[in-house]
Amino acid sequence: MGSHYSGNEINELQNEVVLAIAQSVASVTSLDDFFKTVHTYILRLLPESKLNVFLFENGGLHYGYCSDIQEFSDCTKQYEKGICEYVINTGKPVVLDKAKYQQLFYENHWTENGIPPAYWAGVPLRANNADVGVMSVFTHHNKPELTLQIFNIIVLIASHIAVAINKKSLEEQLAQYNDFVNSLMESFPDLIYLKDKESRFIRISNAFARRLCLNNADEIIGKTDFDIYNETHAREAFEDEQQIMRTGMPIIGKEELEIWPDGKRRWSYTTKMPWHNAKGVTMGTFGISTDITRLKSIEENLRKNQSVLENILNAIPQSVFWKNTDSIYLGCNSVFAKAAGFDNPSEIIGKSDYDLPWTPNEVETYRASDAEIIKTGQSLMHIVETMQKADGQRIWIETSKIPLKDENGKVYGILGVYDDITLRKNAEEELQENRRKLAETIKMLQLVIDTIPVRVFWKTKESVFMGCNKLFAADAGLDSPEKLIGKTDFDMTWVEQATQYVADDRQVIESGIPKLNFEERQTTPKGDQIWLRTSKVPLRNLDNEIIGVLGTYDDITPLKEKEEKLQAINAELERFSYTVSHDLRSPLFTIKGFIGLLEEDIASGNFESVHENIVKINTAADKMTHLLNNLLELSRVGRFTNPFIPVNMDKIVNDALESVSGIINERKVKLILPEKMPRIHADPQRMAEVWQNLIENAVKFMGNQSDPLIEIGYSTCEKEIEFFIRDNGIGIDPKYHETIFGLFNKLDNKSEGTGFGLALVKRIIEVHGGTIRVESEGRGKGCTFKFKLPLKKQNK
Amino acid sequence: MKGEPVSILLVEDNIDHAHLVMRKFKLFKIANKITHLEDGEAALEYLARSKSEHRFPHLILLDLRLPKIDGLEVLREIKTNPDLMEIPVVILTTSDAETDIARAYHLHANSYLVKPVDFDKFTELMDLLGFYWICWNKNPFHA
C-alpha cells in the first residue's frame, strides 16, 4: 500500500473518497457499517491510521466508533471524553503531534489510553448548528505524515459524516413518528381520518376501517363521505370541513347520530381540525371521532331514570320538597306544588316559605325545624303540624325532614316529605272522643253496679269469677272486687253450695235461658246461712256468643225471716180460728143442746132432769168464759210484753215451788235444785208463768209414783242457756211430744186444766226468742221439759 | 131390718155432746146399741176388739178433736186397716174449718157433719142421720 500520493493523485483520491462517502451517506443504514466504510477510505489516505467517532446527545456520550476496538465500552468513553470535549469546546478542527497530545493530557489530568499517537486530528461534528460529536483520526506512525491536504480531506469527510449523522437522526425521528402514527392509526379505538382539501380520505384508522366493514384501511383512500353516509350527513360533514379550511377554526366536540353501513345507529363525538403542513399551507382536514353510543345510552338511561323519579315523585300522594340551607326551595313534586298554589313544580324554585300560602306561624315553625336540621345534621321525623294550603283549606300534616349531605358529610340542603293526615287526625280525635265516652260509660256503669243495693257478679263459661261489685265482694269477705277475679265458688265460704251454684251456671250457659228470681242459701264468711234471691242470665259478647254468666242477687234473709215469722203467725192464726170454730163452739153447742132438751122436757112435763141440765148449761158457759179468758191471755203474750230486765231465776223457781208446796210436802216429792241459777234477760212475770206451769204439770202428772222426784237445772253454751225440769211421773208417749204444746190439747180428758198451760208456755218462750221441747221415753218413764233462751239481750 | 141389733160407735170426748147425741138417737129409737168412747185410743182399742169378736159397728160417729189420739188419726187408722176400712165413718164435729173437712175426706171419711148449734137443726140432723145411715144405707158386712 502506497503511503504517499502526488498532488493529482491526492486530488483524485480526495474526489473519489468524498464521492464514495457522499454515496454512503445517501444509503446509510447502520452507523457502524458506515464508519467502517469511511475508515477504509481514510486508510487509503493515511495508511495504518485509526478512526474514532464519538456522538453526544444531551451532554452525554451516546455513541462511539473505534476502529481498533471491537466492543465500544464505557471505559473507552471515559478515556476519550476529555479530548472530545476539548475539541468541541475549541469549536474547530485540530491536529496534535505526540508532544502536544501528551502535554494536553498532562495539563488536563486526562487518563491516557495506551500509547500516545504520533499525530492526532480531531474534527467537531456539526449538524443543524449543533455539535453532535467528534471525529478523530490518529496514527502511531510518523510516516506518511499527516499533511494539511489530508487534514482538509479529513475535515471534509467529517462534514459528510455530520450530514450522515444528521440524516440518520432525522430518519430515526421520522421512523419513530411513523411508528407512532401507524400504531395510533392501527390500534387507537377512535375513528381517525385525514382528508384532503376536497374532503377525500387520505388515511383512516383501522378502527374506522372496521367500522366501515373494510378489509383494509387503504381501500378508503380517494373516497368521500358521500360514498359512506347518506346525502344529508355527508353534505353536512363536507360543509363543516370546507368551513374549517376556510376559517382555520376547528369544530370541537360535535355530537352526531350516525347510521353506519353495518346498519347500526351510533352516537359520535367528533373533533375536526384544519391540517396545515410545516409551512402553514392548508392541506386538508383531519378528525377524531369517538363512539359515545354507550355514554349516550347511559345518559339516556340517566335521563329516563330521572324521568321515572320525576314520575314517581309526582305520582305519590305524599308531598316532597327540597330546600337549600337558606330554606330556599330547590324543587318539589306536583302535589306539593299544587298545595303551594303552583301549576308546575319548577315554579317553586327560588321561593321561600314566606312566598307561600302558609300562615305566618306555620312559616316560622317550618323554618325553625329547617334551621335545627341544618344546625344538628339530624333528621326530624313525624312532625305533626298544620298547613294552610293555597285554596285556603287548613290541613293537618305529618312532616319528616332529613338533611341532604355531600360526600364530606356537610349539609347542603333539606329534603322534606309530608302526608296529609287530616282524615287520620279527625279519626283520632273521633276515637279519642269515643274512648272518653266509653270511659265515662264504664265509670257510670261502675258507679251503678257499686251503688245499687243488689249484688252483681259475672263469671266465665267455666264459672270462674271475672268481676263483681263492691257489695258482692263484701259478701265474699274480700276488701275489693279485684281480689275475686280468677276465683271460683269452691274457693269461697259458700263451698257448701258451690256445686249447686255451678250447676245453675251451666244450665244458663248451655240453654241460653236466664234463670230468674230463685231462692237459694249461702254460707257467709261468718258461717251464717243467709237467703238469696238470685237471677242468672247468660253473658254474651258483641257476636252474641255466650261467654259466661251474669248473676245478681238480693240478700232476702230479713225478708225470709219475716216470711217465716208470718207463716208462724198464720199458723197460729189458723190454730186460733180452729180453736174458735171448734173449742168455742163446743160449749155453745152444749148450751144450746141442753136448752133444747130443757124445752123438750118442760113441754113433755118431765122436770126431773131440769136442774141437771141447767147445771150443765152453767158449766158449759163457765168453760166458755174460761176459754175466752185463756185466748185473751194467749193473745196478750204476743202483743203486750213487759220490758226485759235481768231476772233472778232462783227466786222465780222458788216462788213457783212455793205455790205447790202443799202437794209437794204431801207427796214427799224430792226436789233437786241447782245451787245458783243464772240471771237472764226476760219479762219476769211471763217467766214466772213458765215455771209455774211446768212445775204444776210435773206435780200434776206424778201419777202413782211412790218416790216422786222433780229436778230443775240448766246448762249453758256459747249463745244460749237451756233450763230443764225433770220428773219421774207418768211420762208422755213420744207421739204426743209435739201435740202437747197445741192449744187446748189435753192428753187426758179427765185431767185438770184446759190444755192451755203448755200452749202458753210455748208462746212465752217463743216471744223470748227461745224454743221448748219435751223428752220422755214413754208412759211411766217420767219426762223432761227443756227450754232454751238466747243469752244475748233481746228487747223487743 | 134384721134381728141383729144395730150398733153405733160414738167417739166424742165431750160428755155433754155425747149425751145430746145419744139422747136424740134414743128418742128416735134408731139404734139399739150406742157405744160411747171418749178418746181416740179407746176407740181404736174397741175396734181391735170388735175385729177379734167379728162384731163391727154399723156406723162410727167420730169427733175430730180427741184426747190421746186425734180424730183424724183414728180415721186414718180405720181407713187404712183392711178389716175396718169398710165401716162407714161419719165425722161429727163442731169444726167447720175447711182444712178439717179437706183432711177428713182425704182420709176417706164417708161423710162430714158439723154439729148445728141450733137445737132444732141438730134434732133434724140426727133424725136424718139415723134414717140415712141405719135404715137406708147398705152396709157390706151387715147387708
Side-chain angles (χ1 to χ4, degrees):
Chain A
M1 193 180 289
S3 57
H4 179 71
Y5 298 99
S6 66
N8 282 338
E9 282 170 342
I10 287 291
N11 281 340
E12 276 171 29
L13 187 60
Q14 177 190 324
N15 287 341
E16 188 188 338
V17 168
V18 168
L19 189 68
I21 287 172
Q23 281 169 351
S24 294
V25 165
S27 61
V28 69
T29 50
S30 153
L31 284 176
D32 278 359
D33 290 346
F34 173 66
F35 290 130
K36 206 174 265 178
T37 309
V38 170
H39 191 212
T40 56
Y41 294 121
I42 291 171
L43 284 175
R44 287 169 67 182
L45 293 171
L46 198 63
E48 295 187 54
S49 63
K50 289 165 184 163
L51 172 70
N52 280 4
V53 183
F54 299 100
L55 299 179
F56 298 91
E57 198 175 81
N58 302 325
L61 218 171
H62 85 103
Y63 176 82
Y65 174 82
C66 298
S67 59
D68 59 344
I69 300 169
Q70 287 298 314
E71 292 284 324
F72 180 75
S73 69
D74 286 345
C75 196
T76 314
K77 284 184 202 169
Q78 208 56 45
Y79 290 139
E80 302 299 333
K81 194 177 177 236
I83 189 110
C84 286
E85 282 173 358
Y86 169 77
V87 173
I88 286 167
N89 290 339
T90 310
K92 287 184 289 188
V94 65
V95 176
L96 301 173
D97 58 13
K98 191 173 183 174
K100 275 194 176 168
Y101 183 88
Q102 280 183 312
Q103 186 189 346
L104 204 59
F105 270 73
Y106 178 78
E107 283 172 1
N108 289 302
H109 310 290
W110 296 329
T111 308
E112 281 188 76
N113 182 22
I115 306 156
Y119 302 99
W120 188 91
V123 186
L125 299 173
R126 289 186 71 86
N128 289 338
N129 298 319
D131 294 312
V132 295
V134 174
M135 186 185 90
S136 59
V137 176
F138 57 93
T139 176
H140 290 88
H141 302 282
N142 289 324
K143 294 284 177 188
E145 207 174 332
L146 180 65
T147 62
L148 182 62
Q149 195 176 19
I150 290 170
F151 180 67
N152 284 337
I153 293 169
I154 287 169
V155 172
L156 189 66
I157 288 169
S159 73
H160 281 282
I161 286 174
V163 168
I165 289 167
N166 191 30
K167 184 185 171 224
K168 181 70 185 162
S169 162
L170 278 176
E171 275 173 4
E172 277 176 3
Q173 279 180 25
L174 195 62
Q176 277 178 5
Y177 200 73
N178 269 337
D179 282 348
F180 168 71
V181 171
N182 283 337
S183 57
L184 192 72
M185 295 306 259
E186 282 161 16
S187 320
F188 203 66
D190 286 349
L191 311 187
I192 306 169
Y193 70 87
L194 193 63
K195 289 179 181 170
D196 65 14
K197 284 159 96 173
E198 280 74 40
S199 287
R200 286 187 298 248
F201 284 102
I202 295 170
R203 186 160 184 192
I204 60 171
S205 65
N206 285 4
F208 203 164
R210 279 195 299 277
R211 177 65 52 77
L212 292 172
C213 303
L214 301 177
N215 293 325
N216 194 317
D218 294 343
E219 290 174 29
I220 198 72
I221 294 169
K223 292 187 175 165
T224 68
D225 283 348
F226 293 97
D227 301 318
I228 303 170
Y229 307 113
N230 61 41
E231 168 77 19
T232 317
H233 180 71
R235 173 67 53 195
E236 190 186 337
F238 177 80
E239 276 165 12
D240 283 350
E241 286 154 15
Q242 292 303 314
Q243 184 194 327
I244 289 164
M245 286 184 288
R246 200 168 52 245
T247 62
M249 296 296 289
I251 292 175
I252 295 169
K254 183 175 184 182
E255 287 182 16
E256 289 170 303
L257 179 65
E258 292 165 342
I259 297 160
W260 290 88
D262 61 7
K264 287 185 179 160
R265 293 157 62 88
R266 288 189 174 83
W267 278 94
S268 62
Y269 177 90
T270 308
T271 296
K272 294 181 178 179
M273 306 199 71
W275 173 32
H276 305 294
N277 70 3
K279 293 172 182 163
V281 178
T282 301
M283 302 295 288
T285 57
F286 68 93
I288 296 180
S289 177
T290 306
D291 182 356
I292 56 162
T293 309
R294 217 171 75 80
L295 275 173
K296 268 293 193 195
S297 122
I298 290 170
E299 193 184 285
E300 183 70 11
N301 281 341
L302 271 173
R303 203 167 42 243
K304 274 186 193 161
N305 283 344
Q306 198 175 346
S307 146
V308 167
L309 270 175
E310 255 170 48
N311 283 336
I312 290 172
L313 271 180
N314 289 331
I316 56 171
Q318 282 85 3
S319 300
V320 183
F321 58 89
W322 48 103
K323 301 176 178 180
N324 68 11
T325 50
D326 294 326
S327 284
I328 301 298
Y329 284 92
L330 299 176
C332 69
N333 68 351
S334 44
V335 187
F336 185 90
K338 198 176 163 207
F342 297 113
D343 293 330
N344 194 314
S346 61
E347 292 174 56
I348 199 84
I349 297 166
K351 300 274 195 311
S352 81
D353 286 306
Y354 293 113
D355 306 321
L356 301 179
W358 334 140
T359 67
N361 271 347
E362 286 165 354
V363 170
E364 290 316 316
T365 310
Y366 302 161
R367 290 178 64 91
S369 58
D370 290 351
E372 190 183 337
I373 291 162
I374 291 157
K375 190 178 155 201
T376 63
Q378 302 287 318
S379 303
L380 284 177
M381 307 301 280
H382 309 301
I383 312 161
V384 174
E385 52 198 2
T386 60
M387 173 182 275
Q388 179 166 294
K389 296 204 293 180
D391 58 11
Q393 195 194 350
R394 194 86 182 272
I395 58 169
W396 279 98
I397 58 172
E398 186 180 303
T399 312
S400 291
K401 291 178 177 175
I402 58 168
L404 295 169
K405 294 179 181 177
D406 62 20
E407 58 266 43
N408 299 321
K410 191 171 178 290
V411 177
Y412 68 87
I414 292 155
L415 175 68
V417 178
Y418 75 78
D419 254 329
D420 181 350
I421 57 160
T422 310
L423 284 177
R424 197 179 86 197
K425 193 82 180 169
N426 288 345
E428 267 172 20
E429 275 168 12
E430 200 174 320
L431 193 69
Q432 208 75 25
E433 177 65 15
N434 283 346
R435 281 209 187 115
R436 202 178 58 80
K437 279 182 186 164
L438 190 66
E440 274 176 6
T441 307
I442 288 170
K443 198 177 165 190
M444 201 186 73
L445 271 177
Q446 192 63 45
L447 186 69
V448 168
I449 68 165
D450 283 338
T451 311
I452 54 166
V454 177
R455 280 71 169 171
V456 182
F457 58 89
W458 49 102
K459 302 178 186 177
T460 65
K461 279 168 92 173
E462 291 73 34
S463 288
V464 177
F465 283 106
M466 287 191 283
C468 67
N469 67 352
K470 284 180 181 164
L471 274 180
F472 183 91
D475 274 8
L478 302 172
D479 46 30
S480 85
E482 287 74 29
K483 294 193 176 159
L484 181 75
I485 296 165
K487 290 194 163 71
T488 71
D489 287 305
F490 293 97
D491 304 320
M492 315 307 291
T493 58
W494 51 81
V495 61
E496 204 181 322
Q497 294 94 12
T499 309
Q500 181 58 45
Y501 293 175
V502 170
D504 289 339
D505 295 346
R506 285 246 67 74
Q507 186 196 323
V508 170
I509 289 162
E510 278 164 16
S511 68
I513 299 166
K515 192 173 183 204
L516 300 174
N517 293 322
F518 58 99
E519 290 175 5
E520 57 185 0
R521 310 213 72 164
Q522 186 173 86
T523 307
T524 67
K526 286 179 183 166
D528 295 334
Q529 292 267 321
I530 59 169
W531 277 99
L532 314 179
R533 182 184 289 122
T534 308
S535 289
K536 286 180 177 175
V537 298
L539 203 58
R540 293 171 190 272
N541 65 10
L542 287 179
D543 298 329
N544 217 30
E545 293 161 341
I546 294 175
I547 54 160
V549 61
L550 172 73
T552 63
Y553 68 79
D554 267 326
D555 179 358
I556 56 160
T557 311
L559 208 69
K560 204 74 182 165
E561 278 169 359
K562 276 179 190 155
E563 192 182 297
E564 278 169 0
K565 210 165 178 177
L566 201 66
Q567 273 172 0
I569 289 167
N570 272 339
E572 200 177 298
L573 199 68
E574 200 184 320
R575 236 171 28 233
F576 189 79
S577 70
Y578 188 87
T579 303
V580 170
S581 71
H582 185 94
D583 292 85
L584 286 183
R585 199 176 283 164
S586 179
L588 194 63
F589 177 76
T590 306
I591 291 164
K592 294 280 273 184
F594 279 93
I595 288 171
L597 287 187
L598 268 178
E599 283 171 351
E600 279 176 1
D601 287 347
I602 290 164
S604 64
N606 178 7
F607 295 99
E608 67 186 59
S609 303
V610 168
H611 179 70
E612 185 192 339
N613 287 351
I614 287 173
V615 169
K616 281 192 189 295
I617 290 167
N618 252 333
T619 309
D622 288 346
K623 191 177 174 184
M624 205 168 165
T625 310
H626 186 65
L627 279 173
L628 285 171
N629 286 341
N630 281 344
L631 281 174
L632 195 64
E633 176 70 8
L634 197 64
S635 76
R636 288 170 70 95
V637 171
R639 287 183 295 125
F640 305 105
T641 312
N642 295 315
F644 287 9
I645 54 168
V647 170
N648 185 343
M649 288 299 244
D650 284 322
K651 186 175 186 302
I652 288 175
V653 169
N654 284 333
D655 287 351
L657 286 169
E658 190 63 35
S659 70
V660 291
S661 60
I663 195 163
I664 285 173
N665 290 336
E666 186 189 318
R667 292 293 306 269
K668 297 192 173 67
V669 176
K670 189 181 175 190
L671 289 173
I672 302 174
L673 298 171
E675 271 185 21
K676 176 81 182 154
M677 300 267 268
R679 280 169 172 266
I680 60 153
H681 255 82
D683 176 345
Q685 270 173 278
R686 295 295 178 199
M687 207 39 71
E689 285 179 81
V690 168
W691 283 113
Q692 193 82 34
N693 270 290
L694 292 176
I695 289 169
E696 275 176 16
N697 275 352
V699 170
K700 206 185 288 177
F701 300 106
M702 251 178 323
N704 302 322
Q705 180 59 253
S706 53
D707 296 309
L709 172 78
I710 293 175
E711 183 187 356
I712 290 171
Y714 71 93
S715 63
T716 50
C717 68
E718 195 185 334
K719 288 178 180 171
E720 50 200 8
I721 180 163
E722 187 172 68
F723 295 95
F724 67 86
I725 172 166
R726 183 176 297 135
D727 64 56
N728 56 354
I730 59 170
I732 302 165
D733 193 311
K735 62 183 168 188
Y736 303 122
H737 288 180
E738 288 291 327
T739 55
I740 53 163
F741 295 104
L743 186 59
F744 307 130
N745 277 348
K746 291 190 291 183
L747 290 183
D748 190 346
N749 225 15
K750 295 184 189 77
S751 65
E752 293 174 43
T754 56
F756 169 71
L758 285 176
L760 183 70
V761 167
K762 184 168 187 255
R763 183 93 185 109
I764 292 169
I765 298 298
E766 281 172 357
V767 165
H768 281 80
T771 56
I772 184 164
R773 63 202 159 99
V774 66
E775 288 175 359
S776 173
E777 289 175 20
R779 292 202 128 186
K781 304 266 176 78
C783 66
T784 309
F785 282 88
K786 292 183 170 176
F787 64 95
K788 284 179 187 170
L789 293 172
L791 273 179
K792 65 177 174 184
K793 192 171 173 179
Q794 278 197 334
N795 214 345
K796 291 192 177 176
Chain B
M1 298 278 290
K2 304 265 177 69
E4 187 192 351
V6 173
S7 71
I8 293 171
L9 173 62
L10 173 64
V11 190
E12 171 61 70
D13 66 328
N14 189 310
I15 299 162
D16 296 336
H17 291 199
H19 178 85
L20 286 166
V21 171
M22 288 191 287
R23 167 83 182 261
K24 281 294 150 193
F25 273 119
K26 276 175 182 157
L27 193 68
F28 291 103
K29 301 199 174 14
I30 287 166
N32 296 20
K33 188 187 175 190
I34 294 180
T35 307
H36 170 225
L37 297 170
E38 290 178 33
D39 62 66
E41 196 175 88
L44 290 177
E45 280 167 11
Y46 172 85
L47 288 169
R49 263 199 320 278
S50 352
K51 189 196 164 197
S52 59
E53 294 167 13
H54 290 280
R55 288 185 302 100
F56 293 108
H58 288 71
L59 179 69
I60 300 171
L61 295 175
L62 183 64
D63 193 6
L64 289 183
R65 300 273 289 174
L66 295 173
K68 295 183 180 175
I69 295 178
D70 185 68
L72 287 171
E73 196 50 46
V74 173
L75 177 63
R76 183 202 309 278
E77 193 60 43
I78 293 168
K79 290 300 181 184
T80 55
N81 186 329
D83 297 319
L84 305 176
M85 65 201 305
E86 288 158 341
I87 305 171
V89 178
V90 172
I91 304 296
L92 188 62
T93 178
T94 49
S95 167
D96 59 357
E98 282 174 27
T99 50
D100 280 341
I101 298 169
R103 280 181 203 147
Y105 278 110
H106 185 73
L107 294 170
H108 306 290
N110 294 76
S111 187
Y112 190 103
L113 302 173
V114 179
K115 296 166 187 168
V117 172
D118 185 274
F119 185 73
D120 291 338
K121 282 182 180 162
F122 173 65
T123 305
E124 193 187 346
L125 176 67
M126 287 299 111
D127 208 7
L128 291 170
L129 179 76
F131 273 112
Y132 180 85
W133 286 105
I134 295 161
C135 300
W136 294 104
N137 190 50
K138 286 301 172 191
N139 189 309
F141 22 71
H142 303 290

